[in-house]
């Protein structure tokens, strides 16, 4: 079956001093911009606080897919929805009330996302599928760009695809996605792809987004 493919480039490996120009390079060919928010508590790295992230979100020419790798996600998740993110993804490991936070994100008009780290099983989170517009299966340990794709996560992607079936819930993979790995993830059932270093370490980021999309579309048909 042919699935709709979405490419959501991560700006984690872009030049943070010239983010507007970096985003402009890929905006017209991307579905959403993936914004990695890290607090140096949930993950051992820091990217943006809410103020900085708000400025990026408000100035972004296309919708933002916020990936919140922060510990206070139940409080801050709905605020990211409120300021206009198209999609807000919380980590299951960080949330004390997943259902409530997912509902609050949706009620602010954003798509709700639920992410799990490589060592987290999907089993106890399948129950949230009615409250979720996207599952995110991490294919690296969250925290840094440029890590190696964990192909052993494809079993989990297949399991999530079985849970989703043909419901319009997106299935995103994040970490190590490149021209070498994207087809493996499509075959396992993913339809939404974060790519950071593959896009921004390339000489022509827009061209790389197009190349990833066309490879994924071929693999899905
Ligand atoms: C890692 C981030 C990813 C990362 C992807 O914690 O969530 O979005 O930026 O970067 P690459 O594509 O380089 O693995
Ligand atoms: Zn991410």
């Amino acid at each position: 079956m042919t699935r709709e493919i979405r490419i959501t480039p991560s700006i984690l490996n872009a030049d943070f001093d010239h983010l507007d120009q970096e985003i402009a390079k890929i905006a017209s060919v991307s579905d959403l911009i993936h914004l990695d928010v890290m607090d140096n508590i949930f993950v051992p790295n820091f990217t943006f606080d809410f103020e900085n992230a708000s400025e990026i979100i408000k100035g972004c020419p296309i919708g933002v897919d916020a990936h919140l790798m922060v510990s206070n996600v139940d409080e801050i998740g709905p605020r990211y929805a409120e300021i206009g993110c198209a999609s807000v993804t919380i980590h299951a490991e960080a949330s004390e009330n997943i259902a409530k936070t997912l509902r609050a994100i949706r009620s602010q008009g954003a798509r709700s996302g639920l992410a799990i780290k490589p060592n987290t099983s999907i089993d106890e989170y399948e129950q949230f599928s009615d409250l979720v517009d996207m599952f995110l299966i991490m294919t690296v340990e969250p925290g840094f760009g440029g890590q190696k794709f964990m192909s052993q996560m494809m079993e989990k992607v297949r399991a999530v695809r079985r849970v989703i079936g043909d419901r319009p819930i997106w299935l995103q993979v994040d970490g190590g996605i490149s021209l070498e790995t994207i087809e493996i993830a499509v075959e396992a059932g993913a339809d939404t792809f974060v790519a950071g270093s593959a896009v921004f370490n390339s000489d022509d980021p827009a061209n790389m987004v197009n190349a990833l999309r066309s490879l994924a579309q071929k693999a899905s048909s």
Side-chain angles (χ1 to χ4, degrees), residues 13-24:
N13 270 61
D15 177 357
F16 275 21
D17 292 333
H18 302 97
L19 262 190
D20 287 354
Q21 285 112 295
E22 294 283 80
I23 291 172

Side-chain angles (χ1 to χ4, degrees), residues 3 154 157-158 161 182-190 193 219-220:
R3 265 191 203 107
M154 294 305 98
V157 173
R158 277 189 283 273
R161 175 51 65 194
I182 196 164
E183 291 160 295
I184 302 166
V186 172
E187 277 150 23
F193 302 88
S220 84

